[in-house]
């Protein structure tokens, strides 16, 4: 198998409006799946990347069933999940 | 023992390195510095260990095999350890090619009026500035007062002046009445309207230049020079700084297609005076006036557009030879309509100063929100999901073209007349309510680097788009990262097989 000719693939967590997939396709990387829970960003993603699979809630994802990818991107929302004692003062 | 250390150090670092010099100097001082030497020796030992580690380390990104080339260019620069440096990673120049983009470039030409700030919001900003003792830029304050209804809609700038230039480069003051635009070939006879300065920001010096065919540039001082917009001739004088308040008399300026498109001032109430002069002599010589402080920056492609920074008028050059315009394309509001403008070497002078207002300074009590000054020039605040940032965009000095095209390209017909012929001055009565507005979702998309209309899907509301874009990432940054990630993985895969 010639690895160099294979297209790189990526999965996007906290996908939003598919910013990471957009940047990826411009770099020749193919987005395979995305995880997002808000309806509007999902709608945008479905329109912009119809072939990208929407996996839904990240807390319900099972890595064993996810299509394997080369790259995983994502930036989790930080304000909500920051605990009071771990917020830098 | 110490000498060995020093020698070993020297063999590693070489004579030219700083430590090498230091050690040889120290060895001459003698025994009194034993302790210093000892400690130095320890340091050298450590550093020699470190450097040997570095030598053995394979840099994944640096493919030095013959023929491979450095795919990254001069991206991260490694100081080779064997030259005596410490293997410091120099990341200061990364990324190397800065992409310059001004806010005015992404602004939407015709934003719906619903994005304009309400009277209450304008009053709130003014009140907040007063309460907090933070001064607003004069332009912004004037615009705010107008939009809030405190001041009557009026040109902020002063009285218009008109001059007529004859062939002997004598300027004749026409005392506010614009003369006819001489559409003659090969003559330096043209009339220009200049602006003596803003009543808000004080008088400003006007500078004009005239260029003749002998590549001489004449400083006309306060008198606007003639615009020689003749095809094929190396004669152009670009003068910005025309008045907003051109008045009805300006409507008498004659115009002949393809002969002398002229620069003009947008005659709306929010037009600001500018001091700006670029002289283009057929691409050979570029002169600009002394008062222009920005860097005259030539971009890479083709014939250079000239951009004066910061927050100063911008110029896009159309080079006459091949009839092309160059400059940031598809983003500046009037750009799209500039193609095929007839005549050569016609500059597109764009003058916009954008003042951003922090989103959390709007519609809130004076004691809430609004960090810092609450405004800044030319740089948008970070998009958030909750705030709606506002911009105050200064008007352009636009091209003057024939009616049909001008009416479509004039980006702000709803708030000012960019065409002296077809826009009556009475538009001032209604247009001052749209001076300051919020960023539109499209502008937010552009700010984040998305293609236009990325989130404009069926059924999309503005608030949903704002929120999604505020939560999103800036595409150029991610793209930069992804390129490198892809490269590393690709290289890794190649090396594995």
């Amino acid at each position: 198998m010639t690895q160099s000719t294979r297209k790189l693939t990526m999965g996007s967590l906290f996908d939003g409006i598919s910013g990471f997939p957009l940047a990826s396709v411009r770099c020749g990387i193919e987005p395979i799946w995305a995880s997002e829970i808000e309806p509007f960003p999902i709608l945008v993603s479905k329109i912009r990347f119809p072939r990208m699979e929407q996996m839904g809630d990240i807390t319900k994802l099972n890595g064993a069933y996810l299509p394997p990818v080369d790259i995983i991107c994502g930036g989790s929302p930080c304000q909500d999940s920051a605990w009071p004692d771990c917020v830098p003062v | 023992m110490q000498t060995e250390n020093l020698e070993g150090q020297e063999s590693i670092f070489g004579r030219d390195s700083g430590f090498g010099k230091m050690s040889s100097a120290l060895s001459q001082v003698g025994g009194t510095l034993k302790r210093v030497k000892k400690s130095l020796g320890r340091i050298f030992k450590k550093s020699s260990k470190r450097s040997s580690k570095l030598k053995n380390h394979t840099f994944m990104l640096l493919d030095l095999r013959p023929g491979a080339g450095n795919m990254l260019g001069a991206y991260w620069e490694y100081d080779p350890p064997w030259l005596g440096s410490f293997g410091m990673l120099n990341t200061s120049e990364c990324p190397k090619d800065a992409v310059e983009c001004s806010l005015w470039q992404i602004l939407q030409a015709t934003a719906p009026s619903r994005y304009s700030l309400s009277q209450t919001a304008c009053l709130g900003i003014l009140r907040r500035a007063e309460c907090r003792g933070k001064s607003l830029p004069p332009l912004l304050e004037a615009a705010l007062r107008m939009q809030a209804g405190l001041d009557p809609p009026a040109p902020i700038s002063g009285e218009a002046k008109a001059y007529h230039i004859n062939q002997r480069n004598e300027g004749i003051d026409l005392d506010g009445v614009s003369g006819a635009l001489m559409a003659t070939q090969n003559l330096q006879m043209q009339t220009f309207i200049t602006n003596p300065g803003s009543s808000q920001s004080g008088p400003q010096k006007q500078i004009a230049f005239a260029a003749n065919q002998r590549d001489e540039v004449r400083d006309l001082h306060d008198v606007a020079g003639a615009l020689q917009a003749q095809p094929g001739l190396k004669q152009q004088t670009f003068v910005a700084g025309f008045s907003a308040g051109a008045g009805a008399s300006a409507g008498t300026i004659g115009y002949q297609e393809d002969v002398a498109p002229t620069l003009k001032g947008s005659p709306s109430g929010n037009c600001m005076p500018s001091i700006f002069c670029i002289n283009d002599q057929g691409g050979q010589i570029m002169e600009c006036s002394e008062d222009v402080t920005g860097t005259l920056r030539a971009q890479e492609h083709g014939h250079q557009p000239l951009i004066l920074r910061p927050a100063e008028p911008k110029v896009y050059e159309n080079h006459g030879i091949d009839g092309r315009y160059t400059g940031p394309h598809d983003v500046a509001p009037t750009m799209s309509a500039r193609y095929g403008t007839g005549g050569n070497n016609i500059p597109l002078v764009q003058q916009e100063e954008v003042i951003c207002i922090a989103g959390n300074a709007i519609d809130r009590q004076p004691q809430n929100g609004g960090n810092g000054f609450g405004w800044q020039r030319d740089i948008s605040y970070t998009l958030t999901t909750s705030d709606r940032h506002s911009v105050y965009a200064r008007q352009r000095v636009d091209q003057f073209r024939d009616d049909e095209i001008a009416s479509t390209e004039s980006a702000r017909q709803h708030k000012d007349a960019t065409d002296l012929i077809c826009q009556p001055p009475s538009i001032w009565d209604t247009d001052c309510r749209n001076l300051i507005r919020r960023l539109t979702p499209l502008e937010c998309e552009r700010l984040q680097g998305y293609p236009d209309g990325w989130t404009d899907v069926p059924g999309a509301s503005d608030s949903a788009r704002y929120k999604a874009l505020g939560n999103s990432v800036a595409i150029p940054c991610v793209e930069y990262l992804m390129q490198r990630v892809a490269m590393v993985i690709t290289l890794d895969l190649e090396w594995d097989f």
Side-chain angles (χ1 to χ4, degrees), chain B residues 117-423:
Chain B
L117 285 195
S118 66
Q119 186 187 14
T120 323
C122 292
L123 287 171
I125 295 174
L126 287 168
R127 189 179 64 237
R128 156 193 295 275
E130 199 177 341
C131 287
R132 294 192 160 191
K134 292 174 179 174
S135 62
L136 296 170
L139 303 180
L140 177 60
E141 189 175 357
L144 276 170
R145 292 181 65 84
M146 251 185 271
Q147 193 159 334
L150 295 178
D151 286 348
I156 296 175
S157 48
E159 277 298 306
K161 286 264 183 188
Y163 294 94
H164 177 74
I165 308 292
N166 64 12
Q167 275 182 284
R168 296 175 298 282
N169 282 336
E170 296 165 350
I172 301 165
D173 190 350
L174 297 178
D175 199 20
V177 181
S178 172
L181 182 66
M182 309 294 286
T184 49
Q185 304 272 350
N186 291 326
L187 288 184
Q188 290 186 341
M189 294 174 62
Q190 297 210 3
T191 301
F192 269 86
I193 305 166
T194 68
N195 193 325
S198 161
S199 58
Q200 299 288 330
S201 55
Q204 294 178 11
K205 193 177 165 194
Q206 297 284 330
I207 298 181
F209 290 88
N212 61 14
Q213 283 180 285
R214 297 177 300 280
D215 283 350
E216 296 166 354
V217 181
R218 292 202 178 108
D219 187 354
L220 300 178
H221 303 291
D222 307 356
V223 182
L227 175 65
Q228 305 282 340
Q230 293 170 11
L233 285 186
K234 298 197 294 188
Q235 286 192 10
Q236 293 208 5
T237 305
F238 305 146
V239 185
F242 306 110
S243 167
S249 56
T252 61
I253 288 183
Y255 177 76
Q256 187 173 340
E257 193 173 357
D258 283 347
V259 177
T262 182
L263 306 173
K264 56 170 282 297
S266 45
S268 105
N270 54 350
C271 177
M272 308 308 161
S274 65
I275 306 175
F276 173 52
C277 184
I278 285 285
N279 182 26
D280 168 23
Q281 304 193 358
Q284 293 181 356
I285 301 174
M286 292 279 177
E287 301 275 352
C288 76
S289 73
E290 54 181 310
D291 251 15
V292 177
T293 55
T295 314
L296 202 58
R297 178 178 164 275
Q299 288 184 344
E300 306 150 357
H301 34 66
H303 304 291
Q304 291 76 9
L306 302 178
I307 299 182
L308 304 177
R309 292 176 186 281
E312 283 297 313
K314 286 89 179 172
V315 182
Y316 295 78
E317 184 203 7
N318 166 31
H319 202 272
I321 310 242
D322 51 5
R324 272 191 307 125
Y325 280 100
T326 54
H329 296 288
D330 301 330
V331 283
T334 54
M335 295 300 132
S336 58
R338 76 196 182 277
Y339 304 108
T341 39
N344 292 331
N345 283 331
I346 300 166
L348 186 67
V349 182
Q350 182 145 10
Q351 169 212 357
E352 272 203 36
E353 180 173 0
V354 182
I355 301 174
C356 283
I357 305 164
N360 58 6
I362 301 169
D363 293 340
R364 297 198 192 174
Q365 292 298 312
Q367 65 271 17
N368 299 330
N371 313 323
F373 283 107
W375 58 270
Q376 61 190 14
R377 286 178 204 276
D378 211 37
I379 301 171
S380 174
Y381 288 91
T382 309
L383 296 183
T384 60
T385 56
S386 53
D387 295 323
R388 302 288 172 263
H389 303 290
S390 292
V391 288
Y392 165 66
R394 192 171 162 182
Q395 293 307 294
R396 281 179 300 278
V397 173
D398 214 330
Q399 263 185 283
F400 186 56
R401 301 190 60 256
D402 63 89
D403 292 1
E404 186 187 346
I405 302 178
S407 56
T408 53
E409 86 169 336
S410 66
R412 294 164 198 272
Q413 293 286 358
H414 63 287
K415 63 172 146 178
D416 75 324
T418 56
D419 190 309
L420 283 175
I421 291 177
C422 54
Q423 287 288 0

